[in-house]
Amino acid sequence: MTNPPPEPAPVGTEAPAPVEGPTSPGTRQPRPTLRSDLRASLPDGLVALAVTAAVFAVLYVRIRDKSSSTVSVMPFMADVGGFWMYFLSQAFGWSALLWAWGTVILGLLLSGPRPGRLPLSGPRLERLHRTTSLNTIALIAAHALLFAAELIRHDTAGWNSALATALTEAFVPGGYDSGTGRIAIPVGQAALYLAVPLGLLFYVRHRIGPRTWRILHRCVIVVYVLSVWHTLLYGTNVWYDGWFRTSVWLLQLPIAALLLLRLLRPARRSEKLSARPGDSSGSRTGWALRLGGRLAVAGVLVALVAVVVSGNDGGRTVPPDDTSSSHNHD
């Protein structure tokens, strides 16, 4: 490749992808477009649908056998035939979280120090990162739309009133006012409304400027944190403590470790933690922010280890007597 290499990408992002395969001297590398990445995302999307179908089957069987904590939280959900759409919404939510996890892992591998040997080349990893990002947005949207559809199915009002109520509760912050949903639903909505623009900004970065794009795209990690928070707050599958809920915390360890490594060994000279802060107030502020970021991520990593080792994962230990008032999804 004769063109100068692109500047390394920040946390959770990728640098402009070079052409896969040999290029002739002086050939300008084509810019990835949304259309080309949508076409490339089809195989990954089919895998995501297959995983979603498998998760749905597991949820369905566990509900039918009354071995899922969902039945303990909401006994009326034992009617698998009546609430199959809600279980499908749950399945899309879990696959969305898994795809978001993979997208963040790929972004950190691309933007930070990479292992010596990876199964895919850098350009292929970059394209996979973009396609998993697009599919994550689609999975989150499907999760929310199916939740709204379930609300419509069980609303006895007229279709126009039921539609307005469902869209308000599913997509308007503060519209859902029952139980833990008053907090958990807006958290999930925030993840959705941030994921769409942050995921698509890559395709207009040449218009907004690379610096602006890098700053905004670093907020992708916020989308992931909100998604995990939403799951731990509202996921009836992880409502009580136990190995499944602890496993969700365990999955955050590699992300925290890669993020800390990314901060300790930044690709850009301007992001390095100098031995001494500069003389100007701006330099001192930047140095303090970089140091604070490293300490914060290190603290999160230690906290995650403590949660996993101790098993104190924030779950409920004893089901409440009246679960309908504490976690009502209707």
Side-chain angles (χ1 to χ4, degrees):
M1 184 174 67
T2 59
N3 292 336
E7 189 177 7
V11 173
T13 65
E14 69 288 323
V19 174
E20 298 176 13
T23 58
S24 59
T27 301
R28 183 176 179 82
Q29 300 171 359
R31 181 185 298 118
T33 64
L34 179 58
R35 178 179 298 180
S36 64
D37 280 347
L38 284 173
R39 288 196 299 265
S41 68
L42 181 59
D44 178 71
L46 293 176
V47 174
L49 289 177
V51 170
T52 302
V55 174
F56 172 73
V58 172
L59 294 177
Y60 190 93
V61 170
R62 285 177 57 82
I63 293 293
R64 186 193 60 191
D65 297 341
K66 295 182 173 56
S67 58
S68 171
S69 60
T70 298
V71 179
S72 299
V73 178
M74 300 177 294
F76 59 89
M77 285 284 179
D79 180 10
V80 289
F83 293 95
W84 67 269
M85 190 174 292
Y86 174 72
F87 305 138
L88 185 58
S89 172
Q90 278 191 322
F92 271 102
W94 280 110
S95 57
L97 185 64
L98 178 61
W99 252 248
W101 182 86
T103 299
V104 173
I105 289 289
L106 288 171
L108 290 170
L109 285 174
L110 288 165
S111 63
R114 304 184 192 179
R117 299 183 65 180
L118 289 173
L120 295 177
S121 64
R124 290 182 181 273
L125 282 176
E126 289 166 359
R127 188 174 68 173
L128 180 61
H129 175 57
R130 297 194 303 274
T131 58
T132 56
S133 176
L134 293 174
N135 281 316
T136 298
I137 295 173
L139 292 168
I140 296 175
H143 169 62
L145 288 170
L146 283 167
F147 179 71
E150 176 70 0
L151 295 176
I152 295 173
R153 285 183 70 229
H154 292 277
D155 196 327
T156 57
W159 72 267
N160 53 341
S161 176
L163 178 62
T165 301
L167 293 179
T168 299
E169 292 185 346
F171 295 101
V172 177
Y176 195 93
D177 58 358
S178 176
T180 54
R182 287 176 292 185
I183 298 176
I185 296 297
V187 169
Q189 291 165 343
L192 172 62
Y193 296 146
L194 286 174
V196 174
L198 291 177
L200 299 180
L201 276 176
F202 172 82
Y203 303 100
V204 295
R205 70 195 186 284
H206 58 288
R207 296 188 178 183
I208 64 175
R211 178 178 174 81
T212 301
W213 172 73
R214 286 196 300 266
I215 293 173
L216 291 175
H217 207 61
R218 286 174 177 175
C219 296
V220 166
I221 194 71
V222 177
V223 175
Y224 179 73
V225 171
L226 290 172
S227 301
V228 175
W229 187 14
H230 169 75
T231 300
L232 293 174
L233 279 175
Y234 210 53
T236 51
N237 316 102
V238 291
W239 187 248
Y240 304 119
D241 58 5
W243 70 268
F244 192 30
R245 185 180 178 93
T246 302
S247 297
V248 176
W249 289 96
L250 181 64
L251 284 174
Q252 314 318 313
L253 284 174
I255 288 182
L258 285 173
L259 179 56
L260 181 60
L261 183 62
R262 163 69 174 80
L263 293 174
L264 292 176
R265 297 172 57 187
R268 295 185 181 87
R269 183 178 303 174
S270 59
E271 296 178 356
K272 293 182 179 180
L273 188 64
S274 304
R276 295 174 55 188
D279 296 332
S280 65
S281 59
S283 298
R284 289 196 297 269
T285 300
W287 182 87
L289 290 174
R290 290 191 294 273
L291 176 62
R294 287 158 173 79
L295 293 176
V297 175
V300 168
L301 183 59
V302 171
L304 288 172
V305 172
V307 168
V308 172
V309 173
S310 67
N312 296 323
D313 51 21
R316 281 79 169 171
T317 55
V318 179
D321 294 332
D322 182 11
T323 57
S324 61
S325 62
S326 63
H327 197 75
N328 184 9
H329 285 254
D330 275 346

